Amino acid sequence: MNYSFDELLTRCTICNSENIVNYTVDHIGIQIYKCNNCEVKFMNPQFTDQYLSDFYAQYQNKDFKHHRYGDDKNPRFAKHRDNINLISQYISPGNFFSIGSGNGFDMAVAREMGWRVEGFEVDEDFTKKLAAELDLKMFFGDFVKLSLENEKYDCVYMNHVIEHPKNPGEYLSKIAQILKKGGILYIATPNIDSLSIKLKKAMDAFGLRKKKGSYYDTWQHLTYYNPYRFSEILKKKYGFETLHLSNDVKQIKDGKVQNSAMDKFLYKSGFRIVLRKH
Ligand SMILES: [Zn+2]
């Protein structure tokens, strides 16, 4: 597929500030901007809607084993259970909404753990098939335009999703609307300030890597987060209090996720954050 791009954005896609600057360019020439207000980084210009809908029509029929937690036999299946166990420390099972559920295993796990589950995926054909297969209510299309009931959900779950849409700020506003007061938002996403990326950035600065900025993963990711700055803006702009922040990338042994005290030091390539809506 050939890339096609929108007009250049003049505002941050998370906090809407106009104080954005050209930050760097990756090895395929895609420009990364930085917001001086909330410090999020994002692709600018972004891909066109047409490009993205073609991309996702293909994407969802592939098995992305590295973060689309496979089937029962895949040890990564245990990861959703661990995530939802973490959520259960803060809220009892109620209405659960999965945004970008991929193969739907997060929804299957949540249902098995006592939640009433609904979900959303972008592609119509894929979503209809998945909803029928799992016998669950699912929505598709443009998330921010869905007619969802306000303050209906006890938990909104977004596992490696918030780095994908063009308008993450609009997603967060909509999520704040559909969550009950006191409801929980779970987000996991890559950490753009992980140790490995810091090292690669240093090497890039000396011209020591062939694929400069490849860690932005611009072929699929549009927005890049630092866990602490993201937590701050989620509080300041969207009214979410951070309850838990830890590494997301974990070892899985004998079907069990190995959580460690070290995970509060956010050096790994992904982080997870549990938030409460005020
Ligand atoms: Zn911003």
Side-chain angles (χ1 to χ4, degrees):
M1 272 194 300
N2 287 325
Y3 295 134
S4 60
F5 294 96
D6 286 343
E7 297 286 303
L8 204 66
L9 292 168
T10 57
R11 287 174 179 275
C12 171
T13 56
I14 287 283
C15 78
N16 213 33
S17 167
E18 288 182 70
N19 187 3
I20 60 172
V21 289
N22 199 334
Y23 178 73
T24 190
V25 60
D26 79 354
H27 61 290
I28 50 173
I30 288 180
Q31 293 184 87
I32 310 294
Y33 270 58
K34 181 187 172 191
C35 173
N36 284 329
N37 181 45
C38 74
E39 294 186 34
V40 81
K41 298 184 179 82
F42 56 98
M43 178 193 297
N44 191 17
Q46 294 182 322
F47 297 127
T48 58
D49 292 340
Q50 185 59 54
Y51 171 82
L52 288 173
S53 84
D54 293 347
F55 176 79
Y56 283 108
Q58 290 183 18
Y59 187 95
Q60 278 157 339
N61 291 315
K62 288 181 185 162
D63 182 15
F64 284 91
K65 286 204 169 63
H66 61 294
H67 65 158
R68 294 289 180 187
Y69 305 132
D71 56 33
D72 270 357
K73 291 187 191 84
N74 185 332
R76 285 172 176 268
F77 183 75
K79 190 63 178 67
H80 288 304
R81 187 168 286 114
D82 185 67
N83 295 341
I84 297 167
N85 268 329
L86 174 64
I87 291 165
S88 302
Q89 291 179 19
Y90 303 102
I91 198 161
S92 314
N95 294 332
F96 185 98
F97 194 87
S98 169
I99 299 176
S101 68
N103 57 24
F105 278 92
D106 59 339
M107 298 191 297
V109 169
R111 179 163 62 182
E112 182 192 290
M113 292 170 77
W115 294 81
R116 290 179 298 273
V117 176
E118 294 174 19
F120 162 80
E121 258 299 343
V122 175
D123 187 68
E124 178 174 354
D125 295 344
F126 176 87
T127 307
K128 283 181 170 166
K129 230 164 59 189
L130 184 64
E133 211 176 286
L134 294 175
D135 190 22
L136 283 171
K137 184 170 180 183
M138 287 195 73
F139 301 82
F140 57 85
D142 183 346
F143 173 71
V144 300
K145 290 187 186 139
L146 298 180
S147 51
L148 297 172
E149 212 178 299
N150 283 346
E151 304 198 8
K152 172 175 179 182
Y153 300 97
D154 299 277
C155 176
V156 170
Y157 186 83
M158 274 183 122
N159 192 58
H160 290 271
V161 173
I162 197 71
E163 61 277 19
H164 289 262
K166 291 166 88 163
N167 50 349
E170 289 176 3
Y171 269 66
L172 294 167
S173 297
K174 174 105 177 169
I175 291 166
Q177 273 173 26
I178 66 171
L179 266 177
K180 287 180 188 168
K181 201 168 186 281
I184 296 293
L185 169 60
Y186 175 92
I187 296 178
T189 188
N191 180 355
I192 200 59
D193 290 320
S194 68
L195 189 58
S196 131
I197 290 181
K198 281 194 164 121
L199 291 171
K200 286 174 184 159
K201 270 185 172 170
M203 288 171 73
D204 279 351
F206 291 103
L208 295 173
R209 291 176 71 250
K210 270 194 192 133
K211 294 186 170 177
K212 181 186 174 225
S214 57
Y215 37 82
Y216 288 105
D217 281 337
T218 51
W219 66 278
Q220 60 162 348
H221 294 165
L222 278 58
T223 316
Y224 321 101
Y225 302 90
N226 169 294
Y228 304 107
R229 301 294 86 76
F230 192 33
S231 162
E232 280 167 17
I233 198 74
L234 282 162
K235 180 172 187 172
K236 244 168 52 187
K237 185 164 166 75
Y238 298 97
F240 288 105
E241 176 202 358
T242 295
L243 303 173
H244 173 98
L245 190 50
S246 64
N247 286 317
D248 184 50
V249 178
K250 313 270 188 180
Q251 280 195 333
I252 298 168
K253 253 192 196 162
D254 306 324
K256 288 244 159 67
V257 173
Q258 308 290 300
N259 289 303
S260 124
M262 285 292 283
D263 283 328
K264 64 175 188 270
F265 303 103
L266 302 177
Y267 59 94
K268 291 190 181 173
S269 62
F271 66 93
R272 57 181 184 170
I273 182 165
V274 180
L275 306 124
R276 191 187 300 281
K277 177 188 160 182
H278 280 296

